Amino acid sequence: QSVLTQPPSVSGAPGQRVTISCTEGGSNTGAAYYVHWYQQFPGTAPKLLIYGNTNRPSGVPDRFSGSKSGTSASLTITGLQAEDEADYYCQSSDSSLSVSIFGGGTKLTVL
Amino acid sequence: QVQLQESGPGLVKPSQTLSLTCTVSGGSITSGQHYWSWIRQLPGKGLEWIGYIYYTGSTYSNPSLKSRVTISADTSKNQFSLRLSPVTAADTAVYYCARGYDSFDYWGQGTLVTVSS
């Protein structure tokens, strides 16, 4: 089965840029599958932040951007703000089992 | 604006059946070629996709749970449901319903289900 690996935590000061990585392992070949990103605040449901590797849903600030190359995807937040402190999850599809899979999540701390 | 709302018991005894319903408003579950999924979040941990029902009524579940999962829909009420049986303490989690399968663009607020005697 495929797995998505994220760093447990990242941090940055207000105004800085931070990048959260998501690396595909296991049976996924990587290139053919989209990666999506979610933002989750404590006690609330995840919110779709990036879909299809690079696309932002309406209402998501352009400070948030996504990229993907091979088996690695990244979420970049520029101009970091205190309100960005949250958990971030990547998500993709497992080709062999036809299931949606999530990364373990990354806790972003704004210093 | 599509909205989803989970409902069901917050406490289930071990070996019994967890039953949850998701009520959808702002859109029909039988139109738009959408998938409607169940996802859970184990305490302090990440997210696990449970399964979906497609707008045609076809279903598919995560093989890790497949033999215990039943997903169905009541189109007259614009609802879809999850049954998980039998449950153990390891099934204690916040359960979400969401629209989608490849990605999930609308989510319910989530409901905590505790499995305990």
Side-chain angles (χ1 to χ4, degrees), chain B residues 2 11 18 21-22 28 32 44 56 62 69 81 83 87 103 109 115:
Chain B
V2 175
L11 181 64
L18 179 158
T21 296
C22 182
S28 171
T56 58
N62 193 323
V69 171
S81 298
R83 289 170 58 89
V87 296
S103 65
Q109 65 184 28
V115 179

mmCIF file of all heavy atoms in Angstrom, chain B residues 2 11 18 21-22 28 32 44 56 62 69 81 83 87 103 109 115:
data_model
loop_
_atom_site.group_PDB
_atom_site.id
_atom_site.type_symbol
_atom_site.label_atom_id
_atom_site.label_comp_id
_atom_site.label_asym_id
_atom_site.label_seq_id
_atom_site.Cartn_x
_atom_site.Cartn_y
_atom_site.Cartn_z
ATOM 1 N N VAL B 2 -23.247 23.834 -0.598
ATOM 2 C CA VAL B 2 -23.499 22.489 -0.095
ATOM 3 C C VAL B 2 -23.115 22.424 1.380
ATOM 4 O O VAL B 2 -22.058 22.913 1.782
ATOM 5 C CB VAL B 2 -22.690 21.458 -0.900
ATOM 6 C CG1 VAL B 2 -22.853 20.072 -0.301
ATOM 7 C CG2 VAL B 2 -23.113 21.474 -2.363
ATOM 8 N N LEU B 11 -22.019 7.179 21.560
ATOM 9 C CA LEU B 11 -21.448 6.089 22.346
ATOM 10 C C LEU B 11 -21.979 4.759 21.825
ATOM 11 O O LEU B 11 -23.191 4.589 21.676
ATOM 12 C CB LEU B 11 -21.806 6.249 23.823
ATOM 13 C CG LEU B 11 -21.275 5.198 24.792
ATOM 14 C CD1 LEU B 11 -19.752 5.235 24.827
ATOM 15 C CD2 LEU B 11 -21.863 5.419 26.189
ATOM 16 N N LEU B 18 -21.943 0.605 14.805
ATOM 17 C CA LEU B 18 -21.897 2.068 14.719
ATOM 18 C C LEU B 18 -22.736 2.482 13.517
ATOM 19 O O LEU B 18 -22.497 1.972 12.401
ATOM 20 C CB LEU B 18 -20.446 2.512 14.546
ATOM 21 C CG LEU B 18 -20.097 3.989 14.411
ATOM 22 C CD1 LEU B 18 -18.630 4.190 14.800
ATOM 23 C CD2 LEU B 18 -20.337 4.520 13.005
ATOM 24 N N THR B 21 -25.538 8.920 10.074
ATOM 25 C CA THR B 21 -26.224 9.444 8.898
ATOM 26 C C THR B 21 -25.674 10.817 8.572
ATOM 27 O O THR B 21 -25.376 11.600 9.476
ATOM 28 C CB THR B 21 -27.735 9.523 9.143
ATOM 29 O OG1 THR B 21 -28.253 8.203 9.333
ATOM 30 C CG2 THR B 21 -28.453 10.173 7.971
ATOM 31 N N CYS B 22 -25.535 11.085 7.299
ATOM 32 C CA CYS B 22 -25.100 12.392 6.822
ATOM 33 C C CYS B 22 -26.239 13.008 6.012
ATOM 34 O O CYS B 22 -26.671 12.431 5.004
ATOM 35 C CB CYS B 22 -23.856 12.242 5.961
ATOM 36 S SG CYS B 22 -23.196 13.816 5.348
ATOM 37 N N SER B 28 -28.245 17.846 -4.440
ATOM 38 C CA SER B 28 -28.760 16.487 -4.384
ATOM 39 C C SER B 28 -27.634 15.466 -4.469
ATOM 40 O O SER B 28 -26.699 15.617 -5.249
ATOM 41 C CB SER B 28 -29.731 16.253 -5.546
ATOM 42 O OG SER B 28 -30.078 14.892 -5.627
ATOM 43 N N GLY B 32 -24.956 15.526 -10.320
ATOM 44 C CA GLY B 32 -23.638 16.142 -10.342
ATOM 45 C C GLY B 32 -22.467 15.180 -10.393
ATOM 46 O O GLY B 32 -21.317 15.596 -10.331
ATOM 47 N N GLY B 44 -6.033 12.178 18.188
ATOM 48 C CA GLY B 44 -4.658 12.657 18.128
ATOM 49 C C GLY B 44 -3.889 12.177 16.909
ATOM 50 O O GLY B 44 -2.674 12.339 16.839
ATOM 51 N N THR B 56 -24.667 7.228 -8.401
ATOM 52 C CA THR B 56 -25.435 6.139 -9.029
ATOM 53 C C THR B 56 -25.893 5.110 -8.010
ATOM 54 O O THR B 56 -26.708 4.248 -8.320
ATOM 55 C CB THR B 56 -24.572 5.419 -10.061
ATOM 56 O OG1 THR B 56 -23.402 4.926 -9.393
ATOM 57 C CG2 THR B 56 -24.164 6.356 -11.186
ATOM 58 N N ASN B 62 -12.724 1.128 1.964
ATOM 59 C CA ASN B 62 -11.312 0.866 2.206
ATOM 60 C C ASN B 62 -11.133 -0.615 2.545
ATOM 61 O O ASN B 62 -11.780 -1.113 3.469
ATOM 62 C CB ASN B 62 -10.833 1.748 3.364
ATOM 63 C CG ASN B 62 -9.332 1.786 3.502
ATOM 64 O OD1 ASN B 62 -8.647 0.784 3.285
ATOM 65 N ND2 ASN B 62 -8.814 2.950 3.856
ATOM 66 N N VAL B 69 -17.840 -2.594 6.823
ATOM 67 C CA VAL B 69 -18.462 -1.335 6.420
ATOM 68 C C VAL B 69 -19.629 -1.543 5.464
ATOM 69 O O VAL B 69 -19.528 -2.317 4.513
ATOM 70 C CB VAL B 69 -17.412 -0.423 5.743
ATOM 71 C CG1 VAL B 69 -18.079 0.793 5.111
ATOM 72 C CG2 VAL B 69 -16.366 0.013 6.753
ATOM 73 N N SER B 81 -25.551 7.009 4.624
ATOM 74 C CA SER B 81 -25.311 6.462 5.954
ATOM 75 C C SER B 81 -24.110 5.533 5.985
ATOM 76 O O SER B 81 -23.709 4.968 4.962
ATOM 77 C CB SER B 81 -26.550 5.701 6.440
ATOM 78 O OG SER B 81 -27.658 6.572 6.549
ATOM 79 N N ARG B 83 -22.582 2.228 8.304
ATOM 80 C CA ARG B 83 -22.687 1.225 9.346
ATOM 81 C C ARG B 83 -21.348 0.518 9.450
ATOM 82 O O ARG B 83 -20.785 0.087 8.426
ATOM 83 C CB ARG B 83 -23.805 0.219 9.061
ATOM 84 C CG ARG B 83 -25.207 0.791 9.215
ATOM 85 C CD ARG B 83 -26.265 -0.166 8.698
ATOM 86 N NE ARG B 83 -26.233 -1.464 9.355
ATOM 87 C CZ ARG B 83 -26.901 -1.763 10.459
ATOM 88 N NH1 ARG B 83 -27.658 -0.847 11.047
ATOM 89 N NH2 ARG B 83 -26.835 -2.977 10.975
ATOM 90 N N VAL B 87 -17.746 -3.203 16.176
ATOM 91 C CA VAL B 87 -16.765 -2.186 16.542
ATOM 92 C C VAL B 87 -15.961 -2.611 17.762
ATOM 93 O O VAL B 87 -16.396 -3.431 18.573
ATOM 94 C CB VAL B 87 -17.444 -0.820 16.802
ATOM 95 C CG1 VAL B 87 -18.096 -0.293 15.530
ATOM 96 C CG2 VAL B 87 -18.456 -0.915 17.946
ATOM 97 N N SER B 103 -10.629 14.233 -4.218
ATOM 98 C CA SER B 103 -10.426 15.264 -3.196
ATOM 99 C C SER B 103 -11.773 15.535 -2.552
ATOM 100 O O SER B 103 -12.803 15.119 -3.074
ATOM 101 C CB SER B 103 -9.833 16.545 -3.788
ATOM 102 O OG SER B 103 -10.734 17.139 -4.690
ATOM 103 N N GLN B 109 -19.279 18.787 9.988
ATOM 104 C CA GLN B 109 -18.518 19.277 11.139
ATOM 105 C C GLN B 109 -17.862 18.149 11.921
ATOM 106 O O GLN B 109 -16.958 18.395 12.725
ATOM 107 C CB GLN B 109 -19.428 20.078 12.071
ATOM 108 C CG GLN B 109 -20.525 19.240 12.720
ATOM 109 C CD GLN B 109 -21.468 20.082 13.561
ATOM 110 O OE1 GLN B 109 -21.669 21.270 13.309
ATOM 111 N NE2 GLN B 109 -22.076 19.467 14.566
ATOM 112 N N VAL B 115 -16.313 4.190 21.454
ATOM 113 C CA VAL B 115 -16.679 2.792 21.641
ATOM 114 C C VAL B 115 -16.227 2.378 23.032
ATOM 115 O O VAL B 115 -15.030 2.325 23.323
ATOM 116 C CB VAL B 115 -16.035 1.887 20.580
ATOM 117 C CG1 VAL B 115 -16.421 0.421 20.830
ATOM 118 C CG2 VAL B 115 -16.472 2.322 19.187
#
